[in-house]
C-alpha cells in the first residue's frame, strides 16, 4: 500500500491492480482500495481522475480498421558502341539508326528488369499496419504514414527504408555474407531509415520509434544501438543514442532536444493508446491531426496552452473526445473534420 502514496493519476491508471478494481466487481479489491482511501483521503482526487481514465479506456469500441536508389549494372552500356559524328562525306545508314534505337530499347528493358522494384505501403487516418520486411524485421506503421523499400534486399548490402510519418521498428540482426568471409561472424549489415529533411537512422538489431513529420522528427530508442545523422544549421551532426533516449529535431528553428523518456509511453500507439506527458492541448491537437486528419480549433489561446497528462484510447476518436470533455469540462463541437474546443465558464476544470 505504501507504494501508492507517491502515485499520481496516470500511475494509478497504469497499475494492473487498480484497473482490476475499476473494471471488475471484486470484494477483495473493493476492501483494499476503500481502506486505502480512508487512510489517505488526500489521494481521492488522483484516484477519481484515474478511474475516469480507466473507464474511458475500458469502454467497448470498434477497432478502426520515389527517387528510388538506382543501381545500374556495370558495363550495360558497353554493348552500345559510340558512333563517330557524321561528316559531310559520310552517309548515315537508316538501318543503323533503327538498329541503334532497338538496342537502346532492349537495354532499357534489361535495366528495368534488373533494377530492384520498390514496395510502397501506406495507412489512412485511424489505421495502422504491421509489415514484415525481406530480412524478417517487423515494422508497425502508424496512421497517416508511408513506407517504401526494395522488394528484394541483396546479401551484404545495407537494408534501407524510407519513412514519411511514424513507425515502430523491430530490426533483426542480419549477418552479411561478405563479413562472414572477411571479418568473422560478429559483423552485420546496417539497417538505415531515411526520414524527412535528410535525417538518417543507422542501426543494428534493435527496437525504436521514428516520427517524421513536416514540423519535426523524433527518434526514441527502446533497445540496441542507433546512430542518428542529420543537418543542423547547415552542419552535419551525428548522435549516438542509448536505450531510453529521445531525440527531437525541430525543422523550423533547428533546435535539437536529447533526453531520457519512458519508451513504452512513446510507442503506446501500437497498443491503441495515446500517452501525453504534460504537453499542451495545442500539441495534443497536432498529434490528433496526424492520426485522424481532423483540425482542432481553440476558442482562445489560454485553452490551447493548458497542459495535459494522461493516456487515452487511440482507435476511437469519439471515446477520446468524450474523455477530454469529462476530464476538462471542455465544450466540443464537431463540424465534419473540424473540431472546436471551447471552455465552459461554469466548468470545474482539472488543473
Amino acid at each position: 500500500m505504501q507504494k501508492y502514496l507517491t502515485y499520481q493519476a496516470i500511475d494509478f491508471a497504469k497499475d494492473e491492480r487498480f484497473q482490476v478494481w475499476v473494471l471488475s466487481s471484486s470484494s477483495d479489491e473493493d476492501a483494499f482500495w476503500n481502506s486505502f482511501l480512508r487512510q489517505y483521503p488526500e489521494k481521492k482526487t488522483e484516484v477519481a481522475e484515474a478511474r475516469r481514465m480507466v473507464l474511458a479506456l475500458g469502454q467497448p469500441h470498434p477497432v478502426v480498421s520515389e527517387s528510388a536508389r538506382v543501381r545500374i549494372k556495370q558495363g550495360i552500356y558497353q554493348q552500345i558502341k559510340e558512333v563517330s559524328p557524321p561528316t559531310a562525306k559520310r552517309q548515315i545508314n537508316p538501318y543503323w539508326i533503327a538498329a541503334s534505337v532497338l538496342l537502346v530499347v532492349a537495354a532499357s528493358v534489361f535495366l528495368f528488369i534488373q533494377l530492384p522494384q520498390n514496395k510502397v505501403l501506406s495507412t489512412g487516418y485511424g489505421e495502422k499496419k504491421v509489415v514484415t520486411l525481406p530480412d524478417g524485421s517487423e515494422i508497425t506503421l502508424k496512421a497517416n504514414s508511408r513506407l517504401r523499400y526494395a522488394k528484394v534486399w541483396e546479401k551484404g548490402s545495407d537494408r534501407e527504408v524510407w519513412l514519411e510519418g511514424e513507425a515502430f521498428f523491430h530490426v533483426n540482426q542480419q549477418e552479411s555474407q561478405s563479413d562472414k568471409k572477411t571479418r568473422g561472424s560478429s559483423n552485420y549489415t546496417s539497417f538505415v531509415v531515411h526520414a524527412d529533411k535528410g535525417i538518417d537512422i543507422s542501426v543494428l538489431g534493435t527496437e525504436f520509434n521514428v516520427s517524421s513529420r513536416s514540423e519535426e522528427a523524433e527518434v526514441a530508442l527502446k533497445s540496441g544501438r542507433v546512430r542518428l545523422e542529420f543537418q543542423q544549421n547547415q552542419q552535419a551532426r551525428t548522435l549516438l543514442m542509448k536505450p531510453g533516449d529521445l531525440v527531437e529535431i525541430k525543422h523550423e528553428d533547428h533546435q535539437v532536444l536529447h533526453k531520457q523518456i519512458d519508451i513504452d509511453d512513446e510507442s503506446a500507439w501500437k497498443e491503441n493508446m495515446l500517452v501525453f506527458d504534460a504537453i499542451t492541448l495545442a500539441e495534443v491537437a497536432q498529434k490528433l491531426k496526424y492520426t485522424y486528419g481532423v483540425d482542432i480549433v481553440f476558442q482562445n489561446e489560454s485553452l490551447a496552452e493548458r497542459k495535459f497528462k494522461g493516456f487515452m484510447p487511440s482507435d476511437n476518436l469519439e471515446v477520446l473526445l468524450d474523455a477530454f470533455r469529462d476530464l476538462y469540462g471542455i465544450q466540443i463541437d464537431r463540424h465534419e473534420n473540424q473540431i472546436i474546443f471551447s471552455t465552459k465558464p461554469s466548468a470545474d476544470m482539472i488543473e
Side-chain angles (χ1 to χ4, degrees):
M1 186 177 289
Q2 292 295 318
K3 72 173 184 178
Y4 295 116
L5 295 181
T6 60
Y7 273 30
Q8 298 180 353
I10 183 63
D11 302 310
F12 281 113
K14 291 166 68 175
D15 184 82
E16 184 176 354
R17 184 170 188 178
F18 185 85
Q19 293 172 5
V20 170
W21 175 53
V22 174
L23 298 175
S24 65
S25 56
S26 168
S27 57
D28 290 340
E29 293 302 326
D30 281 341
F32 175 84
W33 289 105
N34 288 332
S35 175
F36 174 79
L37 291 174
R38 282 195 299 270
Q39 293 182 53
Y40 307 104
E42 68 275 13
K43 287 293 181 181
K44 285 185 177 180
T45 300
E46 299 285 354
V47 168
E49 182 178 353
R51 281 181 60 88
R52 287 194 291 268
M53 291 181 184
V54 174
L55 287 171
L57 188 63
Q59 290 181 30
H61 46 273
V63 178
V64 180
S65 67
E66 112 162 27
S67 79
R69 192 183 89 164
V70 178
R71 292 174 297 141
I72 302 177
K73 296 292 183 180
Q74 294 296 323
I76 180 63
Y77 288 114
Q78 293 177 3
Q79 302 176 47
I80 305 175
K81 295 182 180 180
E82 292 184 2
V83 179
S84 302
T87 63
K89 297 181 179 180
R90 185 175 180 178
Q91 298 292 326
I92 300 177
N93 191 323
Y95 293 104
W96 293 356
I97 298 177
S100 298
V101 171
L102 287 175
L103 188 56
V104 171
V105 170
S108 300
V109 171
F110 179 79
L111 278 172
F112 178 78
I113 294 173
Q114 295 299 318
L115 291 177
Q117 297 186 32
N118 290 322
K119 188 166 185 177
V120 180
L121 297 172
S122 60
T123 51
Y125 290 118
E127 180 187 15
K128 71 175 186 287
K129 289 181 180 178
V130 177
V131 183
T132 300
L133 299 178
D135 67 336
S137 295
E138 186 176 278
I139 298 178
T140 305
L141 196 61
K142 195 176 182 180
N144 187 27
S145 300
R146 186 171 182 267
L147 184 74
R148 177 169 57 87
Y149 58 94
K151 289 183 178 179
V152 178
W153 286 346
E154 292 186 1
K155 293 181 182 289
S157 299
D158 284 348
R159 298 165 287 165
E160 297 179 279
V161 301
W162 285 258
L163 174 68
E164 300 171 22
E166 186 167 356
F168 184 87
F169 293 79
H170 181 107
V171 178
N172 282 343
Q173 291 183 332
Q174 187 77 17
E175 192 167 18
S176 164
Q177 294 299 317
S178 60
D179 284 338
K180 277 184 178 181
K181 296 176 182 179
T182 60
R183 304 189 190 96
S185 59
S186 61
N187 293 282
Y188 300 87
T189 55
S190 293
F191 187 104
V192 183
V193 180
H194 301 288
D196 198 16
K197 310 292 185 182
I199 298 172
D200 295 331
I201 304 104
S202 302
V203 304
L204 291 175
T206 191
E207 291 182 304
F208 59 101
N209 195 83
V210 179
S211 175
S212 177
R213 305 291 188 182
S214 58
E215 293 85 3
E216 65 179 29
E218 293 183 356
V219 181
L221 179 60
K222 182 173 182 179
S223 65
R225 293 177 294 158
V226 156
R227 182 177 70 249
L228 184 59
E229 300 175 12
F230 58 96
Q231 293 283 329
Q232 184 180 24
N233 298 322
Q234 298 183 340
Q235 297 292 323
R237 283 198 59 189
T238 300
L239 279 177
L240 297 178
M241 297 178 61
K242 60 181 181 294
D245 278 358
L246 170 71
V247 176
E248 296 179 9
I249 303 172
K250 299 186 182 298
H251 300 313
E252 185 175 352
D253 55 12
H254 307 289
Q255 288 188 5
V256 177
L257 177 64
H258 190 177
K259 63 181 181 181
Q260 280 273 307
I261 61 162
D262 184 342
I263 183 62
D264 289 332
D265 288 351
E266 189 70 18
S267 59
W269 58 266
K270 290 174 56 191
E271 309 302 327
N272 297 325
M273 291 203 316
L274 294 174
V275 178
F276 306 104
D277 186 12
I279 64 175
T280 65
L281 290 185
E283 292 173 302
V284 172
Q286 190 66 52
K287 292 179 181 294
L288 297 185
K289 178 179 180 179
Y290 286 135
T291 303
Y292 297 104
V294 296
D295 289 314
I296 295 181
V297 178
F298 294 93
Q299 193 179 55
N300 55 70
E301 188 65 25
S302 62
L303 179 59
E305 292 303 316
R306 297 193 65 219
K307 294 292 184 73
F308 175 69
K309 182 176 182 178
F311 68 93
M312 298 289 175
S314 66
D315 56 349
N316 189 301
L317 180 59
E318 295 306 321
V319 172
L320 192 149
L321 294 177
D322 285 343
F324 274 119
R325 187 183 290 111
D326 294 340
L327 288 172
Y328 280 80
I330 297 175
Q331 179 173 318
I332 300 176
D333 300 299
R334 184 167 184 177
H335 306 283
E336 295 182 347
N337 287 334
Q338 185 181 77
I339 300 174
I340 301 173
F341 278 22
S342 57
T343 57
K344 295 179 181 178
S346 60
D348 183 15
M349 297 182 188
I350 298 173
E351 295 294 341

